[in-house]
Amino acid sequence: MAPSNSRAIVYSAIVALGGLIFGLDAVLISGGVDLIREEFSLSDWGLGFVVSSPGLGVLFALLATGWFCNALGRKKTLLGIAFIYVLSAIWSAVAPSWWQLAAARFLGGLAFTSLSLGPMYIGEIAPSRWRGKLVTLSQINTVIGLSGAYFINLGIVAASQSDAPWIRSIGLEPDNLWRHMLGSEIPPALLWFGLLFLIPESPRWLMFRGRDAEAEAALRRIAPESEFDERLAEIKQGLDAESKNLPVLDQVYKLLKPGLRTAVIIGLTIAIAQQATGINAIYFYAPTVFKQLGFDTNAAFVQAAVMGVISAVFAVLALFVVDRLGRRPVVLLGFFWIIASLGLCAYGFSQAKYRLTETGVATLPAGLDVTLLSPLLGKPFDSDMAFKSALAEAIGETEARRHENLLLESSVDLPAGLIVGGILSFIAAFQFSVGPVMWILLSEIFPTSVRGVAIPIFHFVTGMTSYVVQFLFPVALSTFGAAAVFGSFIAIPLLGLIVLHFCLPETKNLSIEEIQAAFAGKSAIRSVQA
């Protein structure tokens, strides 16, 4: 990018840090799932509620986000979001009960709208030829946060196994590791909150609100002098004077008009299909999933960290190809790749066999009456749910859940390499395609007059889908087994692939105004060379 646009880069990079905080907030809990379940004696339903509570919080937040970002502006709304992240991280780390932990994480979920507002702001300040790359910064930072969370958790687990005096001096004990994991979000959240004071308000929003002089002043902070007149004319051209200050309900009604129906279909399809892949269930329960494969605790955390690295590598790769290959081919290829990867995982889990051995029983704590497991020794089981059900009948549901990982590790026989490869392939496909491109498309295909409502609406759809998947994942895993769960993740993405094949146009290198005109039928999407 030319040096003259360096300020746009800096402001975009600051706002995109919201993706990093989201990634940390969402995934740090993955390392403490088993510890939280044990400390608060949670059932599968209770565990699903605690882990998914941010997803419930974001649903409530998105109901008001459109109003806040249109009435108060993008900058003030982002500052409020950053402050909520800080409060949530502090409360989560010290929560004395499961319901306070759920409430603290619900509060953090109110801030998850950073995932949509960040790209919205960046899309409004970025020059059209660089919009794809700069909007993708949010997704890049999200996967950096995801990856960083796994490494933070791995580091905390490793440190807790050390006998160093300083480890004990900070209270890092095996039973409270999850508190240190969740508390590690506090410093970066505080940093992002402070940096947001440096960014200008969105010139498009200011112009939309009729504050033309302030809009021009803000634009001069972002655009080089040589591009100022062109950028200003582009903003004015895209703002329909009759649409300024539309009430929220009128903006929603405008989304249903013929000129935006195709955009709505695209937004709805990709918002549902993206999360129906089960991506957040895999991220939020990563160590638990790897323990299903027979990995011990340390190995499961290492595999989760590897998954984080794969996420980061392919998200960066997407940054370089999204403006070169275009949005349409990347999305279609991505969904096909995701479906194939999930199919590989489902097949691998369907081949699993379980047989309890004396060696596995010997690893159990001395306080447990292992004679109760004698009838199960050497008995074959064809599925994880059948094996877990037999354990629960033999020693009780509470004890079976507490020692489940040890027993799975020694009893399972399945193509672990095939399944790990499928999971990593799935993560790569998601981060290369629909992960970042969904937010690029949502920041491009809606006009300024309705974008403040449209993007939160489709983020709400994404959040609802994600919440349902996260909440039901532990229950589904215990009830139907891993093979059925991974197989179920294929259906909706397959339908989404078919719909998008017929209605998704190419928007690469088009200005927001050109895209709006195309959807409204005023012009055809032109072929643009990279």
Side-chain angles (χ1 to χ4, degrees), residues 4-22:
S4 57
N5 282 305
S6 59
R7 286 172 291 183
I9 301 175
V10 171
Y11 298 140
S12 296
I14 289 174
V15 172
L17 286 175
L20 185 146
I21 308 303
F22 163 79

Side-chain angles (χ1 to χ4, degrees), residues 31-94:
V33 165
D34 292 333
L35 294 172
I36 291 169
R37 183 205 288 266
E38 184 172 348
E39 178 167 338
F40 298 123
S41 301
L42 296 176
S43 66
D44 289 330
W45 290 100
L47 181 66
F49 182 75
V50 169
V51 174
S52 65
S53 54
L56 187 61
V58 73
L59 297 181
F60 282 89
L62 288 170
L63 295 174
T65 296
W67 182 88
F68 277 112
C69 67
N70 277 345
L72 303 181
R74 302 352 183 186
K75 177 177 179 176
K76 289 181 180 178
T77 305
L78 285 167
L79 280 167
I81 285 171
F83 185 67
I84 290 173
Y85 270 131
V86 174
L87 289 182
S88 170
I90 294 173
W91 190 7
S92 296
V94 300

Side-chain angles (χ1 to χ4, degrees), residues 192-238:
W192 187 47
F193 178 67
L195 290 174
L196 283 174
F197 284 96
L198 303 179
I199 68 171
E201 182 54 86
S202 164
R204 285 181 183 272
W205 178 81
L206 290 168
M207 191 75 70
F208 173 68
R209 299 292 293 181
R211 296 157 61 175
D212 294 9
E214 294 176 66
E216 293 185 21
L219 185 59
R220 291 189 185 279
R221 291 183 59 186
I222 297 168
E225 192 64 34
S226 60
E227 297 180 11
F228 177 81
D229 291 338
E230 178 185 352
R231 295 281 300 279
L232 183 62
E234 181 183 287
I235 294 174
K236 289 181 177 180
Q237 178 186 351

Side-chain angles (χ1 to χ4, degrees), residues 359-416:
T359 302
V361 172
T363 64
L364 296 174
L368 180 66
D369 185 3
V370 295
T371 59
L372 297 174
L373 292 170
S374 297
L376 301 182
L377 288 174
K379 184 178 180 180
F381 295 91
D382 292 332
S383 70
D384 50 340
M385 59 181 182
F387 181 63
K388 293 176 185 178
S389 177
L391 291 177
E393 288 183 14
I395 59 176
E397 185 174 344
T398 301
E399 291 297 330
R401 185 183 297 119
R402 179 176 300 169
H403 306 298
E404 179 179 291
N405 293 329
L406 286 174
L407 293 171
L408 281 174
E409 179 185 338
S410 60
S411 304
V412 67
D413 178 20
L414 81 178

Side-chain angles (χ1 to χ4, degrees), residues 111-242:
F112 278 16
T113 50
S114 62
L115 202 60
S116 61
L117 292 187
M120 178 197 298
Y121 176 92
I122 295 170
E124 292 182 352
I125 71 167
S128 59
R129 65 186 181 278
W130 293 103
R131 190 189 314 115
K133 287 185 174 63
L134 291 180
V135 169
T136 307
L137 283 176
S138 287
Q139 184 67 18
I140 296 282
N141 276 294
T142 296
V143 298
I144 290 174
L146 296 173
S147 178
Y150 293 128
F151 279 97
I152 289 170
N153 288 345
L154 179 61
I156 289 174
V157 169
S160 70
Q161 297 170 353
S162 169
D163 293 327
W166 71 270
I167 295 295
R168 300 294 170 255
S169 69
I170 62 173
L172 191 61
E173 301 290 343
D175 59 348
N176 68 3
L177 296 187
W178 65 270
R179 297 184 183 276
H180 291 270
M181 292 172 181
L182 298 183
S184 65
E185 179 191 343
I186 298 171
L190 281 171
L191 175 63
W192 187 47
F193 178 67
L195 290 174
L196 283 174
F197 284 96
L198 303 179
I199 68 171
E201 182 54 86
S202 164
R204 285 181 183 272
W205 178 81
L206 290 168
M207 191 75 70
F208 173 68
R209 299 292 293 181
R211 296 157 61 175
D212 294 9
E214 294 176 66
E216 293 185 21
L219 185 59
R220 291 189 185 279
R221 291 183 59 186
I222 297 168
E225 192 64 34
S226 60
E227 297 180 11
F228 177 81
D229 291 338
E230 178 185 352
R231 295 281 300 279
L232 183 62
E234 181 183 287
I235 294 174
K236 289 181 177 180
Q237 178 186 351
L239 291 173
D240 181 0
E242 296 180 355

Side-chain angles (χ1 to χ4, degrees), residues 123-124 126-132 204 230-239 323 327 440-441 443-448 451 505-520 523-528:
E124 292 182 352
S128 59
R129 65 186 181 278
W130 293 103
R131 190 189 314 115
R204 285 181 183 272
E230 178 185 352
R231 295 281 300 279
L232 183 62
E234 181 183 287
I235 294 174
K236 289 181 177 180
Q237 178 186 351
L239 291 173
D323 281 328
R327 285 50 159 162
I440 295 173
L441 284 172
S443 71
E444 290 179 333
I445 63 180
F446 294 105
T448 306
R451 191 179 301 129
E506 183 53 71
T507 59
K508 178 182 70 170
N509 287 354
L510 298 181
S511 70
I512 292 176
E513 288 67 40
E514 288 174 309
I515 296 169
Q516 293 170 23
F519 279 127
S523 66
I525 291 282
R526 56 185 171 85
S527 176
V528 182

Side-chain angles (χ1 to χ4, degrees), residues 170 273 294 320 422 427 437 465:
I170 62 173
F320 290 101
I427 296 299
V437 177
T465 308

